[in-house]
Amino acid sequence: MISQFFVLSQRGDHIVFRDYRGEVPKGSAEIFFRKVKFWNDDEAEEAPPVFNVDGVNYIHVKVAGLFFVVTTMVNVSPSLLLELLQRIARVTKDYLGVLNEDSLRKNFILVYELLDEVIDFGYPQTTSTEVLKSYIFNEPIMVDAGRLPPLGPAAMFMQGTKRMPGTAVTKSVVANEPGGKKREEIFVDIIERISVTFSSSGYILTSEIDGTIQMKSYLTGNPEIRLALNEDLSIGRTGSSSYDYRSSSSGGAVILDDCNFHESVYLDSFDIDRTLTLIPPDGEFAVMNYRMTQEFKPPFRVTALIEEAGPSRAEVLLKIRADFSANVTANTITVQMPVPSYTMRASFELEAGAVGQTTDFKEGSRRLEWNLKKIVGGSEHTLRAKLTFSQESHGNITREAGPVNMNFTIPMYNASKLQVRYLQIAKKSKTYNPYRWVRYVTQANSYVARL
């Protein structure tokens, strides 16, 4: 099935390389990197996750700035291999604590030992951290996470909060703390990726939430855990929506279209009191995946307008309003808007007193880019841009520009209102009281406003 597996750095350096079948010509890693680096097919900015070069299929994912790649000569399901690559990255992170170039190089013996157990002669065997514990004997060499930038979705929670320990996402599940002790703690992350499309008049055309409840356990002895969700949680769509997204209150039933659970979850009492019972395996895993298409209140309102200001000029107005509580702050916001292909220059005008905002005109892709370091709930931000064209515009200029695309991350906020009521851990003794961390984050999947 799989001919080769390799991991490349952003510079194209080989960090890990394993050839299982010897059927792909040498130099495949270099061919892959050059193809990805200089990809310019149909003006796409990045190479697709699957492509073919000279009869060799290349399937890759980019995790923490590293390229995880497999090659194959046969017609294999791309979804299967993409999922396998994600799981290999997750297992590696479970063992190393930190997933980056430095940790891979320092633990290359452990990484190759993991690969030999995960893949045998090109066929996947297991990607379970718990199962692999029986076969892996090398101890990880821990990398100092204090000088590394935070990586991964869980890193969002470590920005601007003192409640989350800095080592939350950088600990190995197999290594002990200094002194031989292991800190008893468990992390539950509710991560939601939302997709919203606004019409030119500001109405919501489509809205969807793809969510997951992630768990990472550092508990010894694998005790039983009870995870309670909203009591008014409903599964399956009904004819009418009982969730009033216009209301500013937190009331209203949470209605999910569908969901699925990890194999370790027992659903005996889920229909009665919406409680999940499980014995968590080692490593990071998804307790529950869910999807919601019921109406919900989007976190941002985006208004975009482009008008002609002369024979070869136009003006753009972009406005963002944060429709969430003032005690919540969104991070790393990026707003992009394609402009007509004959745009030569763009000048920007930010609002008075703007702090932590940058603007840019990408000439290659003919796109305006507006970056905001943070947005506090309830605030509104405006950007004006003046465009200069190389020729007179013909026809309707709004057809040649847009749509506006927005990316953001909002820690400690979730649009679906799905909540963890309590996290109960079976007690081994009266003094047993492990740390429990429940965290929320919302990210943009496809947040688009049409002109």
Side-chain angles (χ1 to χ4, degrees):
M1 178 192 284
I2 297 171
S3 300
Q4 297 171 328
F5 170 86
F6 50 88
V7 180
L8 302 183
S9 70
Q10 290 182 325
R11 303 182 305 277
D13 299 334
H14 297 201
I15 303 174
V16 177
F17 188 93
R18 179 70 87 198
D19 193 335
Y20 294 101
R21 294 174 173 269
E23 58 190 9
V24 174
K26 291 183 178 180
S28 57
E30 181 64 26
I31 293 171
F32 164 80
F33 184 71
R34 289 185 62 83
K35 193 71 176 176
V36 168
K37 187 177 180 181
F38 300 107
W39 188 273
N40 195 22
D41 186 24
D42 296 329
E43 298 184 357
E45 293 183 20
E46 294 184 350
V50 182
F51 57 86
N52 184 288
V53 179
D54 298 330
V56 179
N57 298 313
Y58 293 86
I59 298 94
H60 79 283
V61 297
K62 194 173 182 180
V63 183
L66 303 170
F67 293 101
F68 285 72
V69 192
V70 292
T71 64
T72 178
M73 301 288 288
V74 296
N75 187 16
V76 184
S77 168
S79 300
L80 170 65
L81 296 183
L82 289 170
E83 177 66 20
L84 175 65
L85 289 171
Q86 291 284 4
R87 291 194 181 192
I88 291 174
R90 188 165 64 240
V91 167
T92 306
K93 184 176 181 294
D94 283 343
Y95 271 82
L96 305 187
V98 178
L99 183 58
N100 60 16
E101 183 178 348
D102 191 24
S103 64
L104 286 179
R105 291 191 185 280
K106 287 186 176 180
N107 291 278
F108 72 95
I109 296 176
L110 173 58
V111 172
Y112 276 108
E113 189 179 16
L114 279 169
L115 275 179
D116 289 341
E117 299 298 337
V118 172
I119 303 174
D120 185 16
F121 195 62
Y123 290 93
Q125 303 299 308
T126 181
T127 54
S128 167
T129 303
E130 193 166 22
V131 171
L132 288 168
K133 265 189 171 181
S134 306
Y135 307 104
I136 305 301
F137 300 101
N138 280 287
E139 287 290 325
I141 300 171
M142 303 310 295
V143 175
D144 180 17
R147 56 188 177 84
L148 299 172
L151 301 169
M156 317 296 180
F157 303 103
M158 297 182 340
Q159 302 175 6
T161 173
K162 296 180 180 179
R163 292 178 296 167
M164 301 302 161
T167 58
V169 292
T170 59
K171 286 170 53 179
S172 168
V173 297
V174 295
N176 290 324
E177 299 284 324
K181 294 183 179 180
K182 190 173 182 180
R183 181 182 167 106
E184 297 278 332
E185 56 187 342
I186 185 168
F187 297 89
V188 178
D189 300 333
I190 293 86
I191 303 169
E192 295 187 343
R193 296 172 178 85
I194 62 177
S195 301
V196 179
T197 303
F198 295 97
S199 69
S200 56
S201 53
Y203 290 103
I204 299 174
L205 299 176
T206 61
S207 58
E208 182 176 319
I209 298 175
D210 284 310
T212 181
I213 300 178
Q214 291 277 126
M215 184 176 286
K216 193 165 188 178
S217 172
Y218 296 98
L219 304 176
T220 55
N222 292 348
E224 184 180 271
I225 291 174
R226 289 173 61 84
L227 183 73
L229 304 176
N230 307 53
E231 289 182 333
D232 55 1
L233 175 65
S234 300
I235 311 295
R237 292 203 60 164
T238 56
S240 61
S241 170
S242 61
Y243 186 77
D244 184 9
Y245 76 100
R246 297 174 184 84
S247 172
S248 60
S249 65
S250 59
V254 179
I255 303 176
L256 307 180
D257 285 48
D258 51 60
C259 60
N260 58 66
F261 303 92
H262 190 265
E263 59 191 16
S264 65
V265 176
Y266 296 98
L267 301 172
D268 300 344
S269 60
F270 183 70
D271 289 335
I272 302 170
D273 57 6
R274 295 307 188 207
T275 302
L276 304 176
T277 306
L278 69 151
I279 297 176
D282 291 322
E284 190 173 350
F285 67 100
V287 177
M288 172 183 172
N289 296 303
Y290 58 92
R291 187 171 62 94
M292 174 180 171
T293 57
Q294 293 289 118
E295 296 169 334
F296 62 90
K297 187 177 182 180
F300 291 101
R301 285 283 177 173
V302 184
T303 305
L305 183 67
I306 182 169
E307 292 180 340
E308 292 188 41
S312 58
R313 293 193 302 272
E315 291 187 357
V316 174
L317 173 65
L318 293 176
K319 186 180 290 185
I320 304 170
R321 189 177 78 239
D323 281 348
F324 46 86
S325 173
N327 58 6
V328 176
T329 302
N331 299 326
T332 58
I333 304 97
T334 302
V335 182
Q336 297 177 335
M337 175 180 165
V339 293
S341 58
Y342 44 83
T343 304
M344 290 175 56
R345 293 185 302 275
S347 60
F348 300 94
E349 181 185 339
L350 290 167
E351 58 199 351
V355 178
Q357 300 184 29
T358 60
T359 56
D360 193 15
F361 171 51
K362 304 288 185 181
E363 293 187 27
S365 55
R366 293 293 187 268
R367 191 179 70 240
L368 306 181
E369 190 169 286
W370 181 19
N371 297 299
L372 300 94
K373 192 173 182 180
K374 63 179 182 178
I375 295 180
V376 179
S379 62
E380 189 172 286
H381 299 274
T382 305
L383 170 70
R384 297 178 185 273
K386 295 181 179 180
L387 309 180
T388 303
F389 301 144
S390 60
Q391 64 183 49
E392 290 188 22
S393 59
H394 302 285
N396 191 349
I397 194 172
T398 57
R399 294 183 179 179
E400 303 178 65
V404 176
N405 183 60
M406 188 175 181
N407 286 304
F408 54 82
T409 299
I410 314 177
M412 304 315 293
Y413 171 89
N414 68 330
S416 69
K417 306 300 181 187
L418 184 71
Q419 302 284 329
V420 174
R421 286 189 289 126
Y422 62 82
L423 179 61
Q424 191 178 73
I425 303 172
K427 287 195 173 184
K428 302 177 187 176
S429 63
K430 291 182 179 180
T431 57
Y432 183 69
N433 189 24
Y435 293 94
R436 304 167 178 85
W437 307 102
V438 179
R439 313 174 293 186
Y440 300 86
V441 69
T442 295
Q443 298 171 309
N445 185 33
S446 174
Y447 213 83
V448 174
R450 296 176 180 172
L451 295 179

